[in-house]
Amino acid sequence: LLAVRLLSRVIQLFNIQLSLANVFAQPTLSQLAQTLVVQRTHDNRAPSPILPVTRSGLLPLSFAQQRLWFLSQLDRDSTTYHISLALRLHGTVDSTALRSSLDRLFARHESLRSVFKAVDGVPYVELLPEESGLPWIEHDLHGVFNQQETLELIIPEEVHTPFDLAKGPLIRARLVCLEEQQYILLLTQHHIISDGWSMGILVQELGSLYGAFSQNRPDPLPSLSIQYPDYVAWQHQWLAGERLQSQADYWRHTLAGAPVLLELPTD
């Protein structure tokens, strides 16, 4: 992951496209710098910048979303690709401000508002309205005798309740009050709209929004110049034609002669 971040920075600063193999083959900064000098003298087909696109018409899925949508068609009730987060909160919690913060995040990021429908078996993305908000449930277990047992029912129910990819929303939250100034926030998303890296950004932005809304201040976050559908359009434009064909040819050659079925021990 650090190497991928490095490659991204190289593209931003020098407009030079390097591969992961370049990074690991040149393990020192001086060696990598020499590679950059060499690359700069050649046409390395660095990608064009990501630009906003129109939201009219049917929005395509990214390649990662296509994979996850395909897998969801095999088992529509699967919870394998749920991303779950549990945060223990200490102190006074303004549940109204917290819910408003989550709804603002939902409105802010088009990826979180994405649902996936199909026309003649071909999936496309539809964006839910900004004002629709995400599903929210509150549980008050303050003073409940069998609190731990109840909590052990709530958490698995939250984690393992399947999403409807065509209906959405594909993110939901629960706030569980255990006692005064002791809470647990449960947040569940489907992997088709988020990933592990995004969770860190989400928690950071949630903290900024809650800090503002709990003090009756406006949204402090800067507006977004591009959204995930813009990246998807860029991805399809970048990985197409000869470039896509060379990638496909590589894997056809690499996997040629591979067994159709792997005999693995299952015990």
Side-chain angles (χ1 to χ4, degrees):
L1 289 176
L2 289 174
V4 171
R5 291 175 63 187
L6 173 63
L7 295 179
S8 177
R9 291 286 288 162
V10 167
I11 292 174
Q12 293 173 23
L13 293 174
F14 304 111
N15 196 33
I16 293 176
Q17 179 79 9
L18 288 179
S19 68
L20 280 174
N22 291 138
V23 176
F24 291 116
Q26 314 295 336
T28 68
L29 290 178
S30 60
Q31 290 174 314
L32 188 60
Q34 289 300 316
T35 301
L36 290 177
V37 172
V38 173
Q39 288 286 93
R40 176 169 277 173
T41 61
H42 296 80
D43 177 18
N44 49 56
R45 300 185 299 178
S48 59
I50 302 174
L51 301 174
V53 298
T54 179
R55 297 299 186 263
S56 62
L58 302 180
L59 297 175
L61 283 66
S62 69
F63 297 132
Q65 289 176 330
Q66 288 177 6
R67 293 193 295 270
L68 289 165
W69 182 86
F70 174 80
L71 291 170
S72 74
Q73 305 311 296
L74 301 178
D75 185 0
R76 294 183 182 273
D77 293 327
S78 173
T79 60
T80 302
Y81 292 99
H82 285 193
I83 300 177
S84 302
L85 177 71
L87 295 176
R88 188 175 290 272
L89 310 178
H90 304 276
T92 302
V93 173
D94 184 338
S95 61
T96 301
L98 181 57
R99 183 174 185 179
S100 296
S101 301
L102 287 167
D103 284 342
R104 176 65 195 122
L105 281 177
F106 186 75
R108 172 179 171 80
H109 294 284
E110 291 181 348
S111 60
L112 300 182
R113 295 189 281 112
S114 298
V115 294
F116 301 85
K117 301 185 178 182
V119 175
D120 298 327
V122 178
Y124 69 94
V125 174
E126 184 176 288
L127 301 178
L128 297 176
E130 291 186 15
E131 66 277 5
S132 56
L134 57 78
W136 169 271
I137 299 176
E138 288 190 48
H139 301 273
D140 187 358
L141 303 186
H142 184 232
V144 174
F145 173 73
N146 58 340
Q147 183 184 95
Q148 185 61 35
E149 291 82 356
T150 304
L151 185 62
E152 290 175 358
L153 293 175
I154 291 174
I155 293 178
E157 178 187 44
E158 170 58 38
V159 172
H160 297 298
T161 298
F163 288 104
D164 184 341
L165 267 60
K167 182 179 179 181
L170 304 181
I171 177 174
R172 57 178 182 249
R174 296 195 194 202
L175 181 65
V176 183
C177 175
L178 300 177
E179 56 186 77
E180 190 174 348
Q181 298 194 339
Q182 295 289 332
Y183 297 81
I184 292 179
L185 174 64
L186 304 174
L187 192 65
T188 308
Q189 304 175 76
H190 196 285
H191 190 21
I192 200 169
I193 66 165
S194 185
D195 57 19
W197 183 270
S198 303
M199 289 295 282
I201 297 173
L202 187 148
V203 170
Q204 182 181 16
E205 292 191 351
L206 178 60
S208 297
L209 288 168
Y210 178 76
F213 291 171
S214 61
Q215 299 177 28
N216 296 316
R217 291 187 284 110
D219 179 353
L221 299 177
S223 60
L224 299 173
S225 58
I226 58 172
Q227 294 267 1
Y228 196 71
D230 304 316
Y231 163 75
V232 174
W234 171 89
Q235 184 188 57
H236 282 273
Q237 182 182 28
W238 166 248
L239 193 57
E242 181 184 346
R243 189 175 292 110
L244 177 61
Q245 187 62 46
S246 66
Q247 294 284 333
D249 290 344
Y250 168 82
W251 284 109
R252 290 191 179 99
H253 174 75
T254 301
L255 298 176
V260 176
L261 182 66
L262 295 179
E263 295 291 343
L264 299 174
T266 57
D267 56 346

